[in-house]
Amino acid sequence: MTHPDEVVTFTIGQVANLKKISTYTLRYYDEKGLLPKVMRDQNGTRHFTREDLQWLDMIKCLKNTGMTLEQIKYFVDSTYQGAKTLEQRIELLKNQVEKIKLTILEQQNYIEQINKKIKVLTNEK
């Protein structure tokens, strides 16, 4: 049983397995400063906390919506600067939402085009 004050940590292998991210990608994110609070022991072995896992979820989300790693790094760095960057972070996220909405509209157009083609092809039979 863990003590209430004890921080639960995960190895890079455990995190890779839990989050379905390669160890290479985890190391890359850490080296690029996307995970600034990852702890290391005296041997240089990374130890990830639950907070790091939450950051990974956010990084994965933002990356999968097309945000660049540079923008994600800005978001991470700004977050640790606290309230003085709150407006910039909100603006960054709102801009990303708008980009996602445009992508959804674009994808809906593609679905319509494909469905029209399917209709044409099924009537050819």
Side-chain angles (χ1 to χ4, degrees), residues 99-114:
K99 288 179 186 176
I100 295 166
K101 287 178 180 178
L102 288 174
T103 300
I104 290 169
L105 287 173
E106 197 172 77
Q107 294 296 317
Q108 286 173 328
N109 272 336
Y110 295 149
I111 288 172
E112 288 174 22
Q113 280 183 292
I114 291 170

Side-chain angles (χ1 to χ4, degrees), residues 22-88:
S22 73
T23 56
Y24 171 83
T25 299
L26 289 168
R27 286 185 192 95
Y28 182 77
Y29 286 174
D30 185 29
E31 289 163 13
K32 291 295 180 185
L34 298 175
L35 298 165
K37 291 196 171 186
V38 171
M39 298 181 291
R40 289 183 185 244
D41 63 20
Q42 64 276 8
N43 300 319
T45 303
R46 291 171 178 89
H47 295 276
F48 296 81
T49 63
R50 293 191 192 284
E51 181 182 353
D52 296 321
L53 299 184
Q54 289 172 334
W55 268 115
L56 279 170
D57 289 339
M58 180 55 70
I59 291 166
K60 195 173 183 180
C61 168
L62 296 174
K63 187 172 179 295
N64 286 338
T65 65
M67 189 178 280
T68 67
L69 290 181
E70 291 78 21
Q71 290 171 309
I72 295 170
K73 171 124 174 62
Y74 172 80
F75 181 77
V76 171
D77 292 345
S78 296
T79 299
Y80 287 113
Q81 291 176 23
K84 67 181 179 181
T85 63
L86 183 60
E87 290 303 316
Q88 294 96 317

